[in-house]
Amino acid sequence: MPDKTDGATFFAQNCASCHGETGRGDGPLAKNLPQSPTDLTQLSKRNGGKYPAARTLSYIYGDPKKSHLARVMPEFSSAMSEDLVPVEIDGVFTPTPPQLAGLLAYLESIQD
């Protein structure tokens, strides 16, 4: 099962250029974006102290409520493995690409 170490590697390769090495939204490409990247260390704080795993999963994988043209962040569904692992989200085991399972664990670990 992928863990936060795997997620940290995926983050460094795919997310840090915009969200910064620590996830605070201060990556080298952030200043060139029309909207500032989310400070990923504040996800739990902005959700009443609970890490929003389901919302994070759907947004990273590709938010079905918005088209790819309505968001600055790319959808990662096409870059994810078709092999899935079970991740418990809100008490339900959810089939999840392993890269995203690790990333979810990493993002939860960096919450302030």
Side-chain angles (χ1 to χ4, degrees):
M1 181 65 130
D3 61 17
K4 67 181 181 180
T5 303
D6 301 309
T9 300
F10 184 87
F11 184 88
Q13 294 169 348
N14 296 281
C15 312
S17 60
C18 294
H19 290 282
E21 291 181 21
T22 61
R24 297 195 183 278
D26 58 356
L29 299 180
K31 64 182 177 224
N32 300 323
L33 298 173
Q35 182 178 342
S36 297
T38 299
D39 180 344
L40 300 173
T41 67
Q42 300 297 305
L43 298 176
S44 292
K45 185 176 183 179
R46 290 194 313 263
N47 192 51
K50 183 176 187 290
Y51 177 62
R55 190 168 359 134
T56 302
L57 173 70
S58 69
Y59 194 83
I60 294 169
Y61 195 69
D63 190 343
K65 295 179 184 175
K66 297 182 180 181
S67 76
H68 69 285
L69 298 175
R71 57 189 258 160
V72 174
M73 192 178 104
E75 293 179 18
F76 284 96
S77 58
S78 63
M80 299 286 170
S81 170
E82 291 185 15
D83 296 324
L84 303 175
V85 297
V87 174
E88 187 174 353
I89 297 177
D90 298 334
V92 176
F93 284 98
T94 305
T96 305
Q99 301 94 324
L100 189 46
L103 183 58
L104 287 173
Y106 171 70
L107 292 176
E108 185 171 18
S109 78
I110 64 168
Q111 298 305 296
D112 282 344

